[in-house]
């Protein structure tokens, strides 16, 4: 009977996974202990200095992991009310220090990477997905050169061509939605944005792979599945199914991308991001290797995909709850583009000021990255407190974006007009509004993201009327790394 050994095999795999996870947790714990010991040794002279207030906990090792995991924003805001703008707490053996509000956040964004280090906190998550030789796997100076190459590839001439590519993809994708119904809008936008982003940020050959075989979509899902809290907390060599799938998918995807790169090198140059990556050189004159190009292509897709698809989905729910804003957006489309709705043009996007404010406001209330973080490598002083090496220092855009002291009593409400004229002065504080981060790690994809979301929502607003299905406005799903809407089903009716 075949199924018996299979079952046994799966049971032993599960046991192995549990044992491995336990070992991993112990190693993480010991590493953290060692780090904090060395921090107190290195920072001996810090001991008497003013450490930030600590939120006490009664659960060893896990600390506040459960409360934080259930509702991080509420946890942080409650702590802010009680302890002020700088406070520390423990989770899974690590100490996290949050800086809340513009003044405290300044330390985070003005610091040098040698002092507050990004690789130490992000590499474990990103390197197995992107691959070696890029982003947080290399010294920040090199990553800055890679970011500069990305920026060269994301220029206005390219954006002009992106507009029609994204418009075509969106029209084509939503043909399947029929006259009316209820559907998962987040799933739809995620699928669409893989297509638009691969077409604009990679090139037509990679985009065509998504049409030619469903294999790459599966690989993408497996790779993406490795981007989870486990991967962030535990060593990458543990044999978790999601880690194994991620590693296999990356190898397969690398093979496919290498073929595309070789074919492009052997053919006529095109005007797209892949060409920019192939043609660009580092400061020392050397070209990017194929491995680096593969890593940068995967990195671009990952960086731009979830961020834009969550923002787009939340925008849909906000304008379904505020129907008058949705109707005003429809009127804006007619005014800016003409009632016959001819194909969109890049120059029209800047005139869609209400749509722009809706995106801005969505990013304020639902910034895809709820926390940005760094590892403290040298003692840091902020608002009279000293933060020792070994702490993970964090700023939460979600919290800074909804402080009553900055945004007023209506901080939690969706009001795109707060970004109009006088109200905009409320965000004169430098680090109060941070959906794209700030400082040396600031996002390079902001303009592309705006182009992409504006084009997608121009098509959607022209094509459909949306409303909340039986009044359902999704709560935030805190279990995912990027805070997505829970059960994101929306009701729609085709306008034409
Ligand atoms: C709505 C869309 C997006 C949002 C909200 C967003 C948000 C962010 C944030 C908050 C950071 C700072 C991370 C930190 O300080 O730790 C960041 C960095 C970055 N983003 Fe984006 N992003 C978006 C779209 C994109 C797109 C489309 C791309 C690529 C085309 C991209 C590429 C990058 C890169 C390369 C970095 C630099 C990371 C570093 O220097 O450490 N992002 N993004």
């Amino acid at each position: 009977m075949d199924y018996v050994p299979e079952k046994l095999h799966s049971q032993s795999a599960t046991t192995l996974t549990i044992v491995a996870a336990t070992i991993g947790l112990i190693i993480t714990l010991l590493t953290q202990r060692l780090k904090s010991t060395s921090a107190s040794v290195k920072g001996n002279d810090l001991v008497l200095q003013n450490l930030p207030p600590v939120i006490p906990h009664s659960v060893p090792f896990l600390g506040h992991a459960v409360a934080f995991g259930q509702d991080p924003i509420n946890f942080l805001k409650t702590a802010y009310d009680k302890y002020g703008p700088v406070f520390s707490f423990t989770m899974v053996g690590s100490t996290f220090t949050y800086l809340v509000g513009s003044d405290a956040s300044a330390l985070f964004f003005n610091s040098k990477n040698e002092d507050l280090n990004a690789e130490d906190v992000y590499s474990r998550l990103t390197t197995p997905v992107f691959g070696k030789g890029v982003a947080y796997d290399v010294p920040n100076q090199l990553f800055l050169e890679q970011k500069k190459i990305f920026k060269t590839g994301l220029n206005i001439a390219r954006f002009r061509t992106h507009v029609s590519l994204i418009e075509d993809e969106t029209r084509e994708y939503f043909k399947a939605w029929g006259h009316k119904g209820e559907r998962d809008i987040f799933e739809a936008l995620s699928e669409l944005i893989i297509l638009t982003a691969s077409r604009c940020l990679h090139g037509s050959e990679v985009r065509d792979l998504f049409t030619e075989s469903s294999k790459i979509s599966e690989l993408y899902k497996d790779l993406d599945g490795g981007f989870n809290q486990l991967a962030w907390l535990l060593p990458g060599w543990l044999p978790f199914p999601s880690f194994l799938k991620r590693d296999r998918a990356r190898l397969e995807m690398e093979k496919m991308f290498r073929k595309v790169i070789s074919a492009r090198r052997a053919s006529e140059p095109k005007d797209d991001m892949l060409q920019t990556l192939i043609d660009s050189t580092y400061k020392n004159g050397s070209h990017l290797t194929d491995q680096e190009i593969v890593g940068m292509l995967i990195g671009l897709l990952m960086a731009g995909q979830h961020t834009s698809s969550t923002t787009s989905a939340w925008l849909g729910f906000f304008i379904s709850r505020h129907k008058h804003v949705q109707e005003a957006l429809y009127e804006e489309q007619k005014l800016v583009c003409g009632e016959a709705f001819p194909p969109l043009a890049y120059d029209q996007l800047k005139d869609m000021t209400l749509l722009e404010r809706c995106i801005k406001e969505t990013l304020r209330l639902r910034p895809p990255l709820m926390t940005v973080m760094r590892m403290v490598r040298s003692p840091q002083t902020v608002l009279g407190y000293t933060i020792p090496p070994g702490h993970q220092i964090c700023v939460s855009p979600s919290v800074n974006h909804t402080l009553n002291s900055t945004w007023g009593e209506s901080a939690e409400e969706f009001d795109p007009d707060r970004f109009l004229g006088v109200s905009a002065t409320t965000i004169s504080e430098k680090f109060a509004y941070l959906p794209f981060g700030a400082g040396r790690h600031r996002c390079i994809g902001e303009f592309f993201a705006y182009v992409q979301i504006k084009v997608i929502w121009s098509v959607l607003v022209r094509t459909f009327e949306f409303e909340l299905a039986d009044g359902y406005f999704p709560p935030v799903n805190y279990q995912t790394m990027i805070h997505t809407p829970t059960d994101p089903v929306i009701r729609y009716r085709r306008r034409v």
Side-chain angles (χ1 to χ4, degrees):
M1 295 230 278
D2 281 341
Y3 69 88
V4 175
E6 259 178 39
K7 201 172 166 197
L8 281 177
H9 175 76
S10 89
Q11 275 173 353
S12 56
T14 312
T15 315
L16 182 67
T17 306
I18 292 169
V19 171
T22 314
I23 295 171
L25 277 171
I26 293 167
I27 289 174
T28 314
L29 174 64
L30 287 175
T31 315
Q32 297 303 334
R33 283 273 150 80
L34 279 175
K35 270 187 199 155
S36 59
T37 316
S38 78
S40 58
V41 172
K42 271 190 243 157
N44 225 357
D45 47 340
L46 298 176
V47 172
L48 294 177
Q49 291 187 19
N50 200 10
L51 295 174
V54 176
I55 311 178
H57 65 266
S58 47
V59 191
F61 184 64
L62 276 184
H64 291 280
V66 174
F68 186 89
Q70 277 165 353
D71 187 344
I73 315 299
N74 183 41
F75 177 90
L76 293 171
K77 283 189 155 182
T78 310
Y80 170 64
D81 287 343
K82 191 158 178 195
Y83 299 98
V86 186
F87 52 85
S88 305
F89 57 95
T90 299
M91 279 195 300
V92 202
S94 297
T95 306
F96 293 81
T97 295
Y98 268 81
L99 309 176
V100 177
S102 191
D103 290 349
S105 303
L107 167 76
F108 187 99
F109 294 108
N110 292 333
S111 65
K112 293 189 186 135
N113 196 60
E114 302 88 271
D115 297 323
L116 297 186
N117 189 271
E119 298 91 274
D120 288 353
V121 289
Y122 291 150
S123 175
R124 174 180 287 180
L125 193 64
T126 54
T127 304
V129 177
F130 303 169
K132 308 280 296 164
V134 294
Y136 302 108
D137 184 57
V138 294
N140 190 245
Q141 216 44 47
L142 192 62
F143 184 26
L144 285 178
E145 287 195 44
Q146 295 173 345
K147 279 173 77 173
K148 210 166 160 193
I149 295 173
F150 282 147
K151 277 196 211 160
T152 323
L154 292 171
N155 54 52
I156 291 185
R158 295 251 170 90
F159 292 157
R160 287 185 187 282
T161 63
H162 292 166
V163 170
S164 56
L165 298 178
I166 299 169
E167 183 176 8
D168 291 350
E169 292 279 0
T170 311
R171 282 191 195 293
E172 194 53 39
Y173 184 92
F174 281 96
K175 272 185 189 162
W177 269 34
H179 180 63
K180 62 178 184 174
E182 289 179 10
R183 297 243 191 167
D184 183 331
I185 192 167
F186 177 58
E187 185 181 73
L189 289 164
S190 301
E191 286 176 4
L192 170 66
I193 287 173
I194 294 179
L195 305 179
T196 53
S198 62
R199 193 156 176 186
C200 301
L201 297 175
H202 290 170
S204 55
E205 300 97 318
V206 177
R207 163 63 184 88
D208 292 345
L209 288 176
F210 281 95
T211 312
E212 284 160 13
S213 83
S214 57
K215 191 177 168 199
I216 189 157
S217 307
E218 289 305 312
L219 292 178
Y220 176 80
K221 270 192 197 138
D222 288 349
L223 192 59
D224 190 44
F227 240 128
N228 58 23
Q229 274 110 335
L230 277 184
W232 180 55
L233 288 171
L234 297 176
W237 50 262
L238 285 170
F240 273 113
S242 63
F243 292 8
L244 296 173
K245 275 186 174 178
R246 172 198 66 194
D247 297 343
R248 265 197 302 266
R250 204 200 159 278
L251 280 177
E252 280 289 303
M253 210 175 227
E254 172 159 356
K255 272 191 219 152
M256 291 174 122
F257 282 5
R258 276 181 185 270
K259 272 194 202 152
V260 169
I261 297 166
S262 303
R264 177 65 76 84
R265 286 195 196 279
S267 64
E268 284 297 301
K270 288 190 184 169
D271 183 11
D272 60 17
M273 180 61 93
L274 177 57
Q275 199 65 45
T276 302
L277 297 179
I278 288 174
D279 294 343
S280 297
T281 52
Y282 289 118
K283 272 191 206 149
N284 67 9
S286 65
H287 279 90
L288 278 69
T289 63
D290 281 10
Q291 166 153 358
E292 286 167 337
I293 296 179
V294 170
M296 287 170 80
L297 290 175
I298 297 177
L300 275 178
L301 193 60
M302 294 288 169
Q305 208 269 336
H306 290 296
T307 46
S308 295
S309 53
T310 0
T311 308
S312 302
W314 280 117
L315 173 57
F317 286 105
F318 281 122
I319 62 169
S320 298
R321 184 150 77 177
H322 299 267
K323 287 294 289 273
H324 65 286
V325 178
Q326 195 179 147
E327 279 315 299
L329 284 172
Y330 184 59
E331 292 306 315
E332 181 175 81
Q333 287 296 316
K334 290 201 248 172
L335 197 71
V336 173
C337 308
E339 303 220 356
F341 293 142
L344 284 159
Y346 175 77
D347 290 325
Q348 291 166 344
L349 300 184
K350 71 171 181 337
D351 295 327
M352 297 176 188
T353 53
L354 176 59
L355 182 53
E356 174 134 350
R357 279 181 278 125
C358 285
I359 298 172
K360 245 182 155 173
E361 181 68 342
T362 303
L363 285 166
R364 183 182 73 81
L365 288 170
R366 298 287 185 274
L369 301 195
M370 67 79 53
T371 282
V372 287
M373 57 180 79
R374 311 279 183 259
M375 180 63 78
V376 180
R377 282 191 175 180
S378 64
Q380 299 292 311
T381 306
V382 59
L383 305 184
Y385 296 112
T386 302
I387 306 168
H391 279 208
Q392 297 192 34
I393 192 169
C394 309
V395 169
S396 169
S398 311
V399 173
N400 280 17
H401 290 183
T402 49
L403 291 177
N404 291 342
S405 51
T406 308
W407 300 92
E409 287 309 308
S410 66
E412 300 285 348
E413 281 163 31
F414 179 80
D415 174 15
D417 286 352
R418 74 174 71 242
F419 289 104
L420 262 181
V422 177
S423 331
T425 55
T426 49
I427 57 156
S428 60
E429 292 172 35
K430 202 166 172 203
F431 302 110
Y433 185 69
L434 298 159
F436 296 96
R440 63 188 301 115
H441 291 281
R442 197 183 194 289
C443 186
I444 48 101
E446 175 174 358
F447 294 110
F448 174 75
Y450 265 94
V451 168
Q452 175 157 262
I453 299 170
K454 273 186 167 175
V455 174
I456 290 174
W457 269 103
S458 294
V459 174
L460 290 181
V461 161
R462 290 168 176 200
T463 315
F464 299 107
E465 268 177 77
F466 291 94
E467 66 178 44
L468 301 180
D470 301 326
Y472 174 74
F473 187 87
V476 177
N477 177 3
Y478 293 119
Q479 310 310 316
T480 45
M481 291 288 286
I482 286 187
H483 289 173
T484 53
T486 309
D487 297 332
V489 172
I490 206 160
R491 186 173 291 161
Y492 62 92
R493 174 189 296 273
R494 201 171 277 272
R495 284 186 193 267
V496 279

